[in-house]
């Protein structure tokens, strides 16, 4: 990777795992994991993730997103999304070119005759009936019902802004193959047996060394949990067995300890915290009714005096 992954040193406690998915989640298009993560730069991934987090954060009384269009300051993208100042412009252009987001209004810098105008963006939605995984045919996130998953906000708020792209891809691949997979009985998978080769294909990483380093980092830093180690049979792999992984939940016993839990597909919502606020909703076009979701934390506001995204 050419960009620096180091973040400003912090005295915050180390990451302890993801909170139980009964609250504090974002109803996320599965195509973020199937299309965006494997085929995009770190800046683009962080930008689209930040847009998803803000757009699909709060809903109005009809279940529509409160912020279907987003104006984001440079400071927000630097501090909240983890994008360096020099990478913001290329990240925006990549996300627009790959049809992840759409520029609704072009920005304009202030002059002695005209005041500044902030650029405005929105997630791009595809009205076709087909769920598309091919980045060449991708024309926006699937707009029909389904193909979304409740993802812990900590993945957007901590993992994506702070971790290297390889680690984000590994965690995202395990998310997609566990809680991103619904069984015939309506439950979400907790663990998945997945080989190195499958992880390489899913993440789009270029080498086994990069994958191994990212996987070890994800386990050591409580993003994922190795439930059962794999085994390589030197006799032509006849009895080889892939390792089993799952997300690391903050209240989950370590691998090998007793105890288990399932992720509810439609957990009960917590009460909203602000006046007139409603829980996080399903995405969709602003004029349409959408399915109800939930989330606690509210949208961030731009810092005063901050620079806006250029058009």
């Amino acid at each position: 990777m050419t960009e620096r992954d180091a973040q400003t040193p912090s005295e915050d406690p180390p990451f302890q795992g993801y909170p139980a998915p009964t609250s504090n989640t974002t109803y996320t298009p599965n195509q973020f994991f199937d299309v965006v993560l494997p085929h995009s730069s770190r800046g683009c991934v962080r930008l689209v993730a930040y847009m998803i987090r803000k757009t699909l954060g709060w809903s109005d009384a009809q279940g529509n997103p409160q912020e279907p269009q987003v104006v984001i300051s440079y400071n927000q993208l630097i501090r909240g999304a983890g994008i360096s100042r020099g990478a913001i412009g290329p990240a925006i252009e990549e996300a627009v070119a790959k049809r992840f987001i759409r520029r609704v209004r072009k920005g304009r810098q202030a002059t002695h005759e005209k005041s500044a105008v902030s650029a405005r963006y929105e997630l791009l939605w595809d009205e076709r009936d087909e769920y598309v995984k091919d980045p060449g045919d991708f024309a926006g996130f699937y707009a029909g019902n389904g193909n979304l998953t409740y993802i812990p906000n900590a993945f957007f708020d901590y993992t994506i802004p702070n971790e290297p792209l390889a680690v984000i891809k590994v965690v995202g691949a395990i998310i997609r193959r566990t809680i991103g997979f619904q069984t015939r009985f309506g439950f979400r998978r907790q663990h998945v047996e997945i080989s190195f080769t499958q992880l390489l294909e899913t993440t789009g990483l270029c080498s086994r060394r990069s994958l191994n380093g990212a996987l070890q980092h994800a386990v050591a830093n409580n993003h994922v949990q190795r439930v059962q180690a794999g085994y390589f049979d030197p006799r032509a792999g006849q009895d080889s067995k892939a390792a089993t992984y799952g997300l690391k939940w903050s209240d989950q016993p370590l691998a090998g300890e007793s105890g288990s839990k399932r992720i509810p597909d439609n957990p009960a919502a917590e009460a909203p915290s602000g006046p007139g606020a409603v829980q996080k909703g399903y995405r969709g076009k602003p004029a349409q009714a959408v399915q109800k979701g939930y989330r606690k934390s509210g949208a961030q506001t731009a810092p005063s005096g901050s620079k806006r995204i250029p058009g």
Side-chain angles (χ1 to χ4, degrees), residues 135-279:
D137 191 37
F138 188 81
F141 295 103
Y142 181 73
N145 288 330
N147 292 299
L148 295 101
T149 302
Y150 288 109
I151 302 300
N153 287 342
F155 179 66
F156 293 98
D157 297 342
Y158 180 84
T159 305
I160 292 179
N162 291 287
E163 296 293 0
L165 180 59
V167 175
I168 299 169
K169 288 186 173 186
V170 165
V171 178
I174 293 172
I175 285 176
R176 184 68 178 98
R177 286 175 172 259
T178 54
I179 63 173
F181 180 88
Q182 181 174 303
T183 70
R184 60 181 294 188
F185 304 106
F187 297 107
R188 297 286 173 173
R189 263 198 315 223
Q190 288 292 288
H191 307 133
V192 63
E193 185 178 298
I194 185 169
S195 68
F196 242 62
T197 300
Q198 290 173 317
L199 274 174
L200 276 173
E201 293 174 352
T202 304
T203 59
L205 293 174
C206 59
S207 72
R208 297 176 72 88
R209 182 178 179 180
S210 297
L211 173 58
N212 184 58
L215 192 54
Q216 290 186 13
H217 180 96
V219 172
N221 290 274
N222 294 318
H223 297 289
V224 300
Q225 183 180 28
R226 185 182 289 111
V227 179
Q228 184 174 357
Y231 170 73
F232 176 74
D233 182 2
R235 298 171 301 175
Q238 293 180 3
D239 294 323
S240 294
K241 185 176 180 60
T244 301
Y245 295 94
L247 277 185
K248 175 65 175 72
W249 304 105
S250 57
D251 62 346
Q252 183 180 47
L254 296 176
E257 296 182 0
S258 61
S260 64
K261 66 181 177 185
R262 71 171 180 85
I263 301 175
D265 190 36
N266 292 295
E270 291 191 356
S273 57
V278 295
Q279 296 296 332

Side-chain angles (χ1 to χ4, degrees), residues 114-133:
K114 296 181 180 180
S115 59
V117 174
S118 300
R120 187 180 294 271
Y121 298 88
E122 67 181 6
L123 294 174
L124 190 59
W125 299 100
D126 185 359
E127 298 294 334
R128 292 178 295 178
D129 293 333
E130 181 184 4
Y131 180 87
V132 176
K133 291 186 178 181

